[in-house]
Amino acid sequence: MRLFFVIPLLLSSTVTSQQIWDIWQTTWDRSKLFTSLKPSSPINFVSPSVIGSADIVVDDSSTFQTVAGFGGSLTDSSALLLNNLKSTNSANYWNLLYYLFDTTDGANAAGLSYVRVPLGASDFSAGAYSFDDVNGDNSFNNFNINAAPSYLFLVLQDILAVNNRIKVHVLPWSPPAWMKSGGNINGGSLKSSLVTTYATYLLKCLQGFQSKGIPLYAISIQNEPQNSNPTYPTSTYTAAKEAQVGIALRSLMDNNGFGSVRLIGYDHNWDGAGSYAIQLMQAAPNAFAGVAFHCYGGSVGAQDTFHSQFPNKEIYFTECSGTIGSDWWSDIKWYMDNIFIGSVQHNSMSGLMWNIALDGNGNPKYPGTDSCGGPGCRAIVQVNSAGTWSVNQEFYSMSQASKAIIPKDAGGPYGQRIGVSVGGSLNWALRVNAFVTERTNSADWLRYSLVVLNWDDNASTSWNPTPVQTTIEFRGMQATYTFPVGVTTLWWFAPRTSFNATTAETSIGVMPQNIGGKNKQKAFGFHYLMNKFSNRFGRS
């Protein structure tokens, strides 16, 4: 007997074939540190039953921003230490770069994909410099991209060799000293008479990086435009002056082959989201793709103040530094709550920490700077003079988030945030983001991922880390998993179209099959859902 089935007859068996095989985890007690877990049997999505103490509800009908990536800043100091590591122990150097930046599906690596690079000196440089320090050189006859230390470009090119899709975001800490009031690279502000000249200088910077074979994703006008510090390169701007530079630079970029490079404004603390950032967009709405935020003032919810005024503008989170000696688990909770889950929930397309690499004392720094005073700034990676390295809590936080959004397919798209909510009696115990990752082959199932912080540790009273038994609701089906105190990233695969659909059901048929035969789950027209699942997706 030969028949055609329609989708409704296969709904139960098809949806339950959605399984969680892939889990990455970092726990509060460090018993798991960005560890890949392989369950002995898959976690199945089955018909719903009683919800857990927490109930995660994934709504893939609600889609938000695509995430550009996670990472940090390749300062001169970071590049110096990494280059020294390469000279001292090349194998360790390349192991580190792959551990940080490799996006290969299934690799034991974070897949970081966003690097911020200062244009000229910062508070983590060996000394003061710009790319043209000749006073009054308005024609930039002396502009030289090689004023930057050679190791900066060498390390950046090595990172690109590991991940050729890395997003490079460049920005200055200061204009050249001769363009500023006071004539000093430390402190002061750009002379109003040199707005268009400075825009040309920034264009020359873009062209210089291009000449080094470095593809550019974005440029900002100024790092922290409301910070004037006389002990390292800084420069203050009003929103109006930054808008003037932005308008001039955007025109130059569009006319010189950089039309696809984003121009990002503000790049300073959350507490300016409702003032400076909004004023900047009002003054130059067509120049800037969006704005970027730092963590040193205000709170992450301020991103919503900006987003509500400019919902079509992009938001980036681009800087926060760890502090040497702070508590490991407390830091991870804060980072996840405010940056790697929090800022993304508040519409950020990125989550970046400050230096990628420093030594154990937070050095080397700009001579005489009071930046990162006190205990010092901790980097994502500690590089030691003996040719060894170790990663810090900043890495473990961002790696868990990054793993959820890196492409499933080589050259494929990054993850897009989707709707998620948490119910149940312990809903407060979990902080959750959800993502969907598209595929290069439209027939392949999409990847759905969760990043979950369980911070139910009772740290404010009596220390009692409590795992949370959780149900996960997805398209009318339910999986169950107990989240330990820590950060967990997991994913599963599902068809592009929800099986809750009704109008499309009759348009997708099943190939003829013999009811009495053993091969009851043959390929059907949608894309070989059943017997091709393992071949298409495997276990990464």
Side-chain angles (χ1 to χ4, degrees):
M1 180 178 181
R2 297 170 63 84
L3 297 174
F4 275 87
F5 286 87
V6 291
I7 286 297
L9 296 181
L10 287 181
L11 282 183
S12 177
S13 62
T14 303
V15 177
T16 57
S17 72
Q18 294 167 16
Q19 299 173 327
I20 297 170
W21 276 104
D22 299 277
I23 303 172
W24 291 76
Q25 203 162 79
T26 296
T27 53
W28 71 273
D29 60 359
R30 310 192 203 192
S31 61
K32 296 182 180 65
L33 292 170
F34 188 50
T35 301
S36 176
L37 308 179
K38 297 294 184 184
S40 57
S41 59
I43 300 166
N44 292 309
F45 281 87
V46 298
S47 297
S49 184
V50 177
I51 67 169
S53 298
D55 186 47
I56 298 172
V57 181
V58 179
D59 177 12
D60 63 329
S61 67
S62 297
T63 57
F64 304 95
Q65 79 277 20
T66 296
V67 180
F70 300 94
S73 292
L74 186 68
T75 60
D76 290 349
S77 295
S78 293
L80 173 63
L81 291 184
L82 290 169
N83 194 61
N84 288 347
L85 176 63
K86 184 179 183 180
S87 299
T88 305
N89 192 322
S90 179
N92 277 357
Y93 170 78
W94 285 107
N95 286 340
L96 173 58
L97 290 196
Y98 273 92
Y99 192 49
L100 294 175
F101 299 108
D102 186 8
T103 59
T104 303
D105 182 52
N108 181 30
L112 303 181
S113 51
Y114 203 118
V115 172
R116 195 164 164 256
V117 183
L119 294 173
S122 73
D123 41 334
F124 285 85
S125 294
Y129 74 93
S130 75
F131 295 116
D132 192 340
D133 287 322
V134 176
N135 188 19
D137 185 18
N138 290 3
S139 299
F140 298 109
N141 295 320
N142 296 283
F143 183 95
N144 183 12
I145 198 67
N146 292 316
S150 59
Y151 48 75
L152 175 70
F153 295 115
L154 290 173
V155 172
L156 189 52
Q157 287 162 350
D158 285 346
I159 292 172
L160 283 162
V162 174
N163 179 355
N164 63 9
R165 299 179 66 199
I166 205 84
K167 297 172 181 70
V168 178
H169 181 162
V170 296
L171 73 167
W173 264 236
S174 172
W178 58 271
M179 292 189 183
K180 299 173 68 180
S181 60
N184 195 320
I185 199 171
N186 300 345
S189 59
L190 176 70
K191 295 177 181 178
S192 298
S193 61
L194 294 179
V195 163
T196 56
T197 303
Y198 187 50
T200 302
Y201 170 85
L202 293 176
L203 173 68
K204 299 282 287 183
C205 292
L206 294 176
Q207 292 170 331
F209 270 69
Q210 185 182 58
S211 72
K212 296 289 185 179
I214 297 167
L216 294 168
Y217 176 79
I219 182 173
S220 294
I221 302 294
Q222 172 65 39
N223 175 70
E224 299 185 346
Q226 296 183 302
N227 176 27
S228 179
N229 187 312
T231 72
Y232 67 95
T234 56
S235 185
T236 56
Y237 283 77
T238 63
K241 184 180 287 186
E242 184 176 347
Q244 291 173 346
V245 177
I247 291 168
L249 178 57
R250 181 74 267 171
S251 177
L252 289 171
M253 291 166 64
D254 291 344
N255 292 327
N256 288 275
F258 295 97
S260 64
V261 177
R262 290 162 164 81
L263 180 56
I264 306 301
Y266 186 51
D267 229 305
H268 206 170
N269 292 333
W270 284 318
D271 55 14
S275 52
Y276 190 115
I278 287 177
Q279 294 163 13
L280 181 60
M281 293 303 105
Q282 290 171 335
N286 297 321
F288 292 91
V291 296
F293 293 105
H294 299 182
C295 75
Y296 310 116
S299 60
V300 65
Q303 291 178 188
D304 291 344
T305 303
F306 176 83
H307 181 70
S308 66
Q309 293 292 311
F310 294 94
N312 295 321
K313 292 296 185 182
E314 297 175 344
I315 292 174
Y316 295 84
F317 183 89
T318 52
E319 189 182 314
C320 193
S321 182
T323 301
I324 292 174
S326 59
D327 181 70
W328 189 86
W329 171 235
S330 296
D331 286 345
I332 288 180
K333 288 190 290 183
W334 195 93
Y335 293 149
M336 299 309 299
D337 185 36
N338 291 278
I339 302 173
F340 302 114
I341 291 177
S343 72
V344 177
Q345 281 186 341
H346 293 284
N347 300 293
S348 178
M349 295 173 61
S350 66
L352 277 64
M353 298 302 293
W354 185 198
N355 286 276
I356 291 175
L358 294 172
D359 68 16
N361 296 313
N363 291 320
K365 294 194 291 187
Y366 186 81
T369 184
D370 65 6
S371 176
C372 290
C377 284
R378 184 181 53 240
I380 298 169
V381 180
Q382 178 177 317
V383 175
N384 306 308
S385 59
T388 60
W389 56 266
S390 58
V391 293
N392 294 315
Q393 50 262 54
E394 291 75 20
F395 170 83
Y396 291 115
S397 303
M398 70 172 61
S399 64
Q400 293 284 159
S402 179
K403 206 66 175 175
I405 60 93
I406 58 176
K408 167 62 181 171
D409 306 306
Y414 283 76
Q416 181 180 20
R417 184 169 70 93
I418 58 176
V420 67
S421 60
V422 185
S425 61
L426 290 181
N427 64 321
W428 55 268
L430 304 184
R431 293 280 282 117
V432 184
N433 261 348
F435 304 93
V436 60
T437 303
E438 290 279 346
R439 307 299 302 277
T440 55
N441 183 342
S442 61
D444 286 345
W445 284 17
L446 308 182
R447 186 185 67 201
Y448 289 87
S449 55
L450 298 178
V451 181
V452 180
L453 166 68
N454 174 6
W455 56 1
D456 185 7
D457 54 19
N458 293 288
S460 61
T461 54
S462 58
W463 179 256
N464 182 27
T466 304
V468 176
Q469 191 262 346
T470 305
T471 42
I472 302 169
E473 316 289 345
F474 178 72
R475 296 184 182 175
M477 304 299 286
Q478 185 183 83
T480 301
Y481 185 73
T482 298
F483 290 96
V485 173
V487 187
T488 301
T489 305
L490 55 79
W491 59 80
W492 66 94
F493 296 88
R496 180 176 303 275
T497 303
S498 171
F499 280 112
N500 292 329
T502 56
T503 57
E505 288 173 350
T506 57
S507 65
I508 306 174
V510 179
M511 293 178 67
Q513 53 191 291
N514 190 333
I515 296 300
K518 295 180 180 180
N519 189 18
K520 293 183 179 179
Q521 295 181 341
K522 285 196 172 183
F524 70 98
F526 188 66
H527 57 253
Y528 296 96
L529 281 178
M530 300 301 293
N531 66 333
K532 293 295 184 182
F533 177 79
S534 60
N535 291 334
R536 288 192 185 279
F537 310 112
R539 302 176 189 176
S540 59

